[in-house]
Amino acid sequence: MIGEVEEGYSWCAPELSDDIWCRGVLAKIWPKLPARVREIRRPELDGVDERYRRATIPWPGRAEDDAEWWIWRIPRRLEVEASEQRGEGWPLGWAMMPFPKPDSVEVIS
């Protein structure tokens, strides 16, 4: 999933929510895992989280330290079919976003 976001996320905004649900589940069970498991897996989780942060931008107006920070991020690159592009704004499938498309979000076809 991280690789797809890095290269250009090609699904719509609701699909992104579905794709990242597992990160929320992991956050809920993480404290319940044995300390040894958390210690061994922490570097991997931190690496994946960092890749996701680099491949996304913060949701405007949201604090970066929200408990579920991954929900409040938008891919930097959206890959869409040419017919889904709508000028400089959000492409089809992202138009429900409650703010204008930031300049740092690139739409590629």
Side-chain angles (χ1 to χ4, degrees):
M1 196 336 243
I2 298 300
E4 185 177 347
V5 173
E6 289 171 327
E7 292 174 19
Y9 190 73
S10 60
W11 298 95
C12 62
E15 288 293 327
L16 180 63
S17 294
D18 289 345
D19 286 346
I20 61 174
W21 75 269
C22 57
R23 182 60 181 86
V25 172
L26 181 58
K28 288 177 184 160
I29 65 166
W30 188 260
K32 298 173 184 170
L33 295 173
R36 185 172 187 285
V37 172
R38 289 193 316 263
E39 181 182 332
I40 291 168
R41 300 303 256 184
R42 172 56 69 184
E44 182 180 5
L45 178 59
D46 289 346
V48 170
D49 281 350
E50 182 56 31
R51 285 178 62 195
Y52 187 75
R53 281 187 178 98
R54 283 193 314 257
T56 59
I57 63 164
W59 184 289
R62 283 291 196 175
E64 291 274 346
D65 59 353
D66 278 352
E68 294 183 325
W69 60 267
W70 53 90
I71 294 172
W72 306 109
R73 298 192 66 87
I74 306 146
R76 288 184 183 279
R77 300 184 81 194
L78 301 176
E79 186 176 341
V80 300
E81 298 290 325
S83 62
E84 295 174 342
Q85 180 56 34
R86 303 168 119 178
E88 296 298 313
W90 290 109
L92 193 63
W94 289 85
M96 77 282 297
M97 298 304 280
F99 48 85
K101 183 183 80 57
D103 291 338
S104 55
V105 172
E106 177 186 16
V107 179
I108 55 175
S109 50

